[in-house]
């Protein structure tokens, strides 16, 4: 049966109206950092013996090395297993539920494993009332999210749960005596003008965040010793605010999701085996393809042969109109991800061809304060043949090793075509 | 100073046409940054392109190299000597790989083709949703009212009248924007599917006279329409036709997207022709009324 649109309105008009609404909501969303707490307390639907992961749904059998490594680490951290062998047996045995972070309004970088006891940030969109979550950033190198699970990794996770998170919460509560939370959008806006891209370069954002929070941390009552450790941890890790940036992006894209007829992409995420997208007007269906290989710069002792395919929910930043799409704002990033300044600018310019609009608030000074490319439009991706280009960290393909580099990656076309095919059958009939 | 290029694929027809009379000289008919057309005596077209898409009339060359419009001009001579095609300062080595269309009519499965009628409506809606400026579906386009009349008066009415189609289609050849005008691209797509399916419809094929086409539009566009009405297709179009003939609606919706991508609106116009034609073919096979639904789904 052919469903007929009103004779005075065509599908093309509906698509344009819907996309306009989607990107408007994405840009006007106003994420505030509003809470810190264990995942089981804050993340909707989180349960005991559940692990959230990055990317589209995946079973243990199909997980790549670093994700399995992170799962093992999470099991050890939670005390569900006493060693890696027992942890793997548990994971294989079916007594752990694996679900995408995205299905719980959350995002996690790289393996993206969030376990019940892990502290998470809560971000609240004060414009549309939605909430999003992310775990805490451990730093770079040999860390859980890159698949490592050594004693050093577990010790750090324990520090984050027992010292760092409570300190941050105390500081936040002090701040909340004056305002509803810490607004994160102004931090992103400023950071983009200070040489960050807010995906793989968070130097300025982390500095701004520490500046905002310091006074409240000091008056929060946290002990000097714990304050010292907290500041030392943040100062040692430029990626401290990556996860808040991701949760903010998640909140912005959630505001744009679920708009009938819209062809705007609201999720782009990788689980190390597959990459998937979701589209505003197509509900919660994932459209997937094999995860792409990263064109990387390698840490000493590692080469491309060691690399796992692309991994992580951090492409939520590009989905929201910053990150790799704003690479032109971050020339120094090429020392981390490779390429050249010209390539970084070229990537941003190319992304304008597949996005619906330029961001109202995220501006790039050296492109004459042009707004960042915002709102990947599936139609434009298919029409131009250009797919999202992003930057990313790279994990070793084996469990237990960690990060081996960072680089640039081009997303495959297949999932966008699958999405458009589904769009045609949903709205064309 | 000559510039050497390597071709990784030569269309089967292009290879035959260029070597037909070794002594004859072809000439550059049109140049773009990444492709150019050759006119090969007596009256054939060869497209030399950096694009990856293969066709019986394409010569695919490596991506590296100069902007063709900076090294070639219309009228430059071209000659094939052995494996080397010399065009102005370019020396293109033709490889051994050839591309020819498969015998697609052999894949035609009347029973299964009827399964795709819903997919054709979905495809039509999808094409409309692309909302491309200057395409045949662009309501703001200058020629839109002419297109609308054609779709409503020639394609939508049942039963489909082949003679009325030939008359009315010829009137619109050359209409629309683009180097290959929008209606020409549409007609290429339409005639390709229609004529390949003629054997099962009891109607057609439609053969528009080349001299008539030539009077109304530019030579490359007229030749491309000629080739398509004879069933000479590039591989993306062939994939769509194959999906239709084998009744694989999901593949049709997937493969059609590759056609949409080409040019500014050429691909969309071509895809519109493929879809509209498929609907008419099904109606003629089945005494159905799918075409008016597809015309409506296209936004007319």
């Amino acid at each position: 049966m052919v469903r007929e649109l009103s004779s005075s309105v065509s599908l093309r008009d509906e698509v344009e109206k819907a996309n306009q609404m989607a990107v408007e909501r994405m840009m006007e969303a106003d994420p505030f950092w509003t809470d810190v707490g264990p995942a089981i307390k804050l993340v909707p639907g989180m349960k005991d013996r559940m692990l959230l992961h990055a990317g589209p749904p995946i079973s243990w059998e199909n997980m790549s090395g670093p994700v399995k490594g992170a799962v093992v680490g999470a099991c050890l951290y939670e005390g569900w297993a006493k060693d890696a062998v027992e942890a793997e047996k548990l994971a294989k045995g079916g007594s752990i539920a694996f679900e995408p972070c995205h299905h719980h309004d959350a995002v996690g970088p790289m393996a993206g494993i969030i376990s019940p006891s892990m502290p998470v940030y809560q971000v609240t969109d004060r414009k549309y009332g939605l909430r999003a979550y992310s775990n805490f950033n451990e730093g770079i190198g040999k860390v859980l999210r890159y698949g490592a699970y050594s004693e050093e990794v577990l010790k750090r996770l324990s520090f984050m749960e027992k010292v760092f998170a409570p300190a941050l919460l105390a500081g936040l509560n002090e701040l909340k005596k004056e305002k509803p939370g810490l607004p994160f959008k102004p931090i992103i806006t400023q950071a983009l003008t200070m040489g960050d891209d807010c995906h793989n370069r968070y130097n300025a954002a982390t500095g701004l965040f520490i500046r905002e929070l310091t006074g409240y941390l000091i008056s929060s009552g946290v002990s000097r010793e714990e304050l010292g450790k907290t500041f030392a941890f943040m100062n040692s890790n430029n990626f401290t605010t990556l996860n808040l940036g991701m949760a903010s992006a998640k909140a912005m894209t959630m505001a744009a999701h679920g708009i009938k007829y819209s062809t705007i992409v609201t999720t782009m995420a990788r689980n190390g085996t597959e990459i998937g997208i979701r589209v505003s007007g197509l509900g919660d269906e994932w459209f997937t393809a094999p995860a792409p290989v990263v064109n990387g710069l390698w840490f000493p002792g590692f080469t491309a042969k060691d690399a796992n395919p692309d991994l992580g929910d951090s492409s939520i930043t590009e989905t929201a109109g910053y990150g790799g799409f704003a690479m032109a704002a971050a020339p120094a990033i090429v020392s981390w991800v490779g390429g050249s300044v010209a390539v970084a600018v070229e990537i941003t310019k190319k992304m304008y061809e597949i996005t619906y609009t330029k961001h109202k608030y995220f501006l790039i000074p050296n492109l004459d304060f042009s707004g960042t490319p915002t709102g990947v439009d599936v139609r434009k991706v298919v029409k131009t043949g250009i797919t999202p280009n992003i930057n990313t960290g790279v994990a070793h393909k084996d469990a237990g090793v960690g990060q081996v580099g960072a680089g640039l990656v081009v997303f495959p076309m297949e999932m966008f075509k699958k999405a458009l095919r589904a769009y045609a059958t949903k709205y064309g009939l | 100073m000559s510039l050497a290029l390597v071709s990784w694929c030569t269309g089967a027809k292009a290879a035959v046409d260029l070597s037909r009379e070794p002594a004859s000289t072809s000439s550059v008919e049109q140049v773009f940054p990444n492709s150019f057309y050759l006119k090969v005596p007596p009256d054939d077209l060869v497209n030399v392109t950096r694009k990856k898409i293969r066709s019986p009339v394409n010569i695919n060359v490596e991506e590296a190299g100069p902007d063709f419009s900076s090294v070639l001009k219309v009228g430059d001579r071209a000659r094939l000597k052995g494996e080397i095609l010399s065009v102005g300062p370019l020396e293109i080595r033709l490889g051994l790989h050839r591309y020819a269309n498969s015998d697609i009519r052999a894949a035609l499965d009347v029973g299964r083709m009827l399964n795709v009628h819903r997919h054709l409506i979905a495809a039509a809606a999808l094409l409309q949703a692309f909302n491309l400026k200057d395409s045949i579906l662009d309501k703001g386009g200058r020629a839109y009212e002419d297109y609308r009349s054609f779709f409503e008066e020639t394609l939508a009415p049942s039963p489909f009248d082949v003679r009325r189609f030939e008359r009315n289609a010829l009137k619109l050849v050359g209409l629309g924007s683009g180097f290959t005008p929008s209606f020409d691209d549409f007609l290429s797509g339409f005639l390709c599917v229609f004529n390949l399916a003629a054997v099962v419809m009891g109607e057609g094929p439609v053969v528009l006279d080349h001299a008539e086409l030539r009077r109304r539009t530019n030579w490359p566009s007229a030749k491309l329409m000629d080739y398509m009405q004879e069933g000479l297709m590039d591989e993306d179009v062939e994939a769509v036709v194959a999906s239709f003939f084998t009744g694989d609606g999901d593949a049709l919706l997937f493969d059609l997207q590759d056609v949409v991508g080409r040019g500014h609106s050429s691909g969309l116009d071509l895809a519109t022709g493929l879809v509209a034609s498929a609907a008419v073919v099904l109606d003629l096979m089945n005494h159905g009324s799918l075409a008016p639904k597809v015309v409506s789904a296209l936004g007319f």
Side-chain angles (χ1 to χ4, degrees), chain A residues 1-2 10-13 15-16 379-380 382-384 414 416-418 420-421 423-425 427-429, chain B residues 118 121-122 125-126 128-132 137 139 250-251 253-254 257-258 260-264 293 298:
Chain A
M1 181 145 138
V2 178
S10 66
L11 179 58
R12 77 166 67 89
D13 295 335
V15 171
E16 298 308 330
R379 300 173 302 167
K380 290 190 173 192
V382 167
K383 173 68 185 82
T384 61
E414 185 186 343
F416 295 96
K417 287 174 69 177
K418 284 179 178 174
L420 258 193
R421 179 172 62 191
Y423 188 92
T425 45
Y427 291 111
L429 295 173
Chain B
R118 291 173 76 249
I121 298 170
L126 180 64
Q128 196 211 145
F130 270 96
N131 198 13
L132 277 188
L137 304 180
K139 284 189 171 158
D250 279 350
L253 284 174
F254 204 75
Q257 295 179 51
D258 290 328
V260 170
R262 67 183 65 178
H264 170 62
K293 293 184 181 119
L298 286 169

Side-chain angles (χ1 to χ4, degrees), chain A residues 182-195:
Chain A
L182 179 67
F184 207 75
K185 203 160 147 188
I187 289 181
I188 299 170
T189 307
Q190 286 181 81
L192 291 175
T193 67
M194 295 166 71

Side-chain angles (χ1 to χ4, degrees), chain B residues 48-98:
Chain B
V48 180
T49 180
R50 286 204 173 93
K51 292 195 174 135
K52 292 193 164 53
I53 187 166
R54 296 174 301 169
S55 133
V57 302
N58 279 4
I59 294 174
N60 302 92
V61 297
E62 58 193 313
E63 286 183 14
D67 177 330
F68 288 138
S69 50
S70 68
V71 298
L72 293 176
K73 57 185 186 306
V74 172
D76 275 347
R77 305 297 204 186
R79 285 180 85 110
L80 181 68
K81 226 176 172 181
E83 283 179 7
I84 306 292
L85 175 66
S86 302
V87 187
L90 300 176
E91 305 238 315
I92 304 170
R93 175 173 292 279
L94 302 186
L96 293 174
H97 181 68
R98 295 284 179 267

